[in-house]
């Protein structure tokens, strides 16, 4: 059975005190409300990693993730953080290829391939993001465009390696545009991506990979989205900054 995963992406938010308060609330609620069949991944900005890890402690099914890592192993790359460094701080997951990294920092599929290699070599679980813009969606080429992102960055991996990857589908056109992605549209894309993986690696491998939805999932729409058979969880932005909303999403299966 595929893992149910709710990953919170804080993006560039939360001061130290705010992050400590939020993490404490999430961890305590998760324990108190006996959520046992869902994995949480908390992905704060880099300075929060160590203090957040201390608050998570040995809480079962709560993991620490980073929002990015370098495509280089080490060296004179001021401002960058390597996968090896992240692993040494107890980080277990890392978000790669987020739409904001692709757009603002011009990360292409070749760079992401190298980041994937670094993450996997250091025992990190990549949360690999893919998705399409409004222009691509309206042109009707969204499925082929997103499939190409997988092909170009992931299909050089072995079956064993890709089985360790979590995929997050981001309909960029439905984030902050006033347009809404329906649960059926999410299911259609998730199923399409799973079939694409199966075409390369076989159905057994494809069925083992968790595919998260990253299109503004919140406490109000999570139950509908998570009811779809190929939507295995969510990559949560704004709602991950509110402990009650984040836990409500985790209880929406």
């Amino acid at each position: 059975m595929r893992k149910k995963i709710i990953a919170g992406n804080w993006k560039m938010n939360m001061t130290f005190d705010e992050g400590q308060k939020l993490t404490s609330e999430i961890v305590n609620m998760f324990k108190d409300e006996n959520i046992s069949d869902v994995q949480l991944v908390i992905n704060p900005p880099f300075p929060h990693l160590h203090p957040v890890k201390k608050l998570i402690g040995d809480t079962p099914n709560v993991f620490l993730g980073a929002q990015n890592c370098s495509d280089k192993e080490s060296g004179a790359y001021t401002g960058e953080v390597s996968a090896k460094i992240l692993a040494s701080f107890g980080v277990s997951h890392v978000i790669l290829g987020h739409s904001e990294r692709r757009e603002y920092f011009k990360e292409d599929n070749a760079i992401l391939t190298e980041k994937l290699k670094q993450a996997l070599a250091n025992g990190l679980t990549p949360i690999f993001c893919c998705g399409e813009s409004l222009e691509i969606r309206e042109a009707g080429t969204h499925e082929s465009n997103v499939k190409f992102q997988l092909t170009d960055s992931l299909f050089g991996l072995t079956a064993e390696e890709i089985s360790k990857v979590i995929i997050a589908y981001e309909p960029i056109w439905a984030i902050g545009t006033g347009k809404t992605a329906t649960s059926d549209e999410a299911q259609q894309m998730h199923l399409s991506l799973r079939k694409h993986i199966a075409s390369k690696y076989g159905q057994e491998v494809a069925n083992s990979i968790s595919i998260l939805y990253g299109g503004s999932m919140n406490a109000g729409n999570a139950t509908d989205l998570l009811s779809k058979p190929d939507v295995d969880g969510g990559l949560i932005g704004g709602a991950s900054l509110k402990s009650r909303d984040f836990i409500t999403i985790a209880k929406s299966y």
Side-chain angles (χ1 to χ4, degrees), residues 51 62 125 151 177 203:
V62 180
T125 298
T151 301
T177 63
Q203 197 63 52

Side-chain angles (χ1 to χ4, degrees), residues 4-5 44 65 83 98 129 185:
K4 300 175 180 178
I5 300 167
H98 191 280
C129 300
E185 287 172 324

Side-chain angles (χ1 to χ4, degrees), residues 9-15 18 43-48 67 98 100-101 105 237 240-241:
N9 179 14
W10 293 7
K11 304 190 178 184
M12 196 173 70
N13 294 294
M14 296 282 125
T15 64
E18 291 168 344
N43 299 267
F46 290 133
H48 287 276
Q67 297 177 18
H98 191 280
E100 292 158 2
R101 298 294 311 180
F105 301 97
S240 73
L241 304 178

Side-chain angles (χ1 to χ4, degrees), residues 60-71:
N61 288 325
V62 180
F63 300 91
L64 178 65
Q67 297 177 18
N68 186 31
C69 75
S70 175
D71 58 326

Side-chain angles (χ1 to χ4, degrees), residues 207-227:
N207 286 342
S208 72
I209 295 175
S210 295
I211 304 179
L212 315 184
Y213 179 73
S216 297
M217 185 182 287
N218 56 52
N221 63 21
T223 298
D224 186 29
L225 286 163
L226 293 171
S227 70

Side-chain angles (χ1 to χ4, degrees), residues 71-109:
D71 58 326
K72 304 295 193 298
E73 181 177 359
S74 62
Y77 301 101
T78 301
E80 291 291 284
V81 179
S82 71
K84 183 176 182 179
I85 292 172
L86 294 176
S88 74
F89 276 86
V91 172
S92 58
H93 294 65
V94 61
I95 300 171
L96 299 177
H98 191 280
S99 59
E100 292 158 2
R101 298 294 311 180
R102 291 176 185 265
E103 180 180 359
Y104 304 148
F105 301 97
K106 310 306 176 187
E107 293 187 359
D108 59 21
N109 292 334

Side-chain angles (χ1 to χ4, degrees), residues 22-240:
L22 176 61
T23 305
S24 295
E25 290 174 353
I26 289 171
V27 170
N28 288 330
M29 287 179 185
F30 190 80
K31 291 177 180 177
D32 293 344
E33 298 176 31
N34 297 315
I35 306 170
S36 60
D37 61 342
V38 178
Q39 293 186 353
L40 293 188
V41 186
I42 301 174
N43 299 267
F46 290 133
H48 287 276
L49 290 175
H50 183 59
V52 166
K53 177 63 177 176
K54 290 178 69 176
L55 290 175
I56 292 173
D58 58 358
T59 307
N61 288 325
V62 180
F63 300 91
L64 178 65
Q67 297 177 18
N68 186 31
C69 75
S70 175
D71 58 326
K72 304 295 193 298
E73 181 177 359
S74 62
Y77 301 101
T78 301
E80 291 291 284
V81 179
S82 71
K84 183 176 182 179
I85 292 172
L86 294 176
S88 74
F89 276 86
V91 172
S92 58
H93 294 65
V94 61
I95 300 171
L96 299 177
H98 191 280
S99 59
E100 292 158 2
R101 298 294 311 180
R102 291 176 185 265
E103 180 180 359
Y104 304 148
F105 301 97
K106 310 306 176 187
E107 293 187 359
D108 59 21
N109 292 334
I111 290 174
L112 294 175
T113 297
E114 295 305 310
K115 291 191 176 194
L116 280 161
K117 291 178 182 177
Q118 288 297 322
L120 290 168
N122 287 280
L124 301 183
T125 298
I127 302 175
F128 181 81
C129 300
C130 56
E132 83 281 4
S133 66
L134 179 60
E135 181 182 11
I136 291 171
R137 167 63 67 154
E138 291 182 338
T141 58
H142 47 287
E143 288 195 18
S144 60
N145 181 270
V146 179
K147 285 178 181 178
F148 178 74
Q149 293 174 18
L150 296 191
T151 301
D152 218 29
S153 290
L154 297 182
F155 278 19
L157 300 176
T158 65
E160 181 182 2
E161 288 171 334
I162 198 170
S163 295
K164 298 175 182 177
V165 176
I166 298 165
I167 293 172
Y169 166 61
E170 299 182 282
I172 305 165
W173 54 275
I175 302 173
T177 63
K179 296 181 179 291
T180 303
T182 67
S183 58
D184 287 337
E185 287 172 324
Q187 166 60 21
Q188 180 183 12
M189 182 61 88
H190 282 226
L191 178 59
S192 177
L193 295 180
R194 201 176 305 283
K195 287 181 176 179
H196 187 53
I197 295 167
S199 71
K200 167 73 173 178
Y201 294 98
Q203 197 63 52
E204 184 177 354
V205 170
N207 286 342
S208 72
I209 295 175
S210 295
I211 304 179
L212 315 184
Y213 179 73
S216 297
M217 185 182 287
N218 56 52
N221 63 21
T223 298
D224 186 29
L225 286 163
L226 293 171
S227 70
K228 298 301 179 180
D230 287 284
V231 179
D232 304 309
L235 178 59
I236 316 300
S240 73

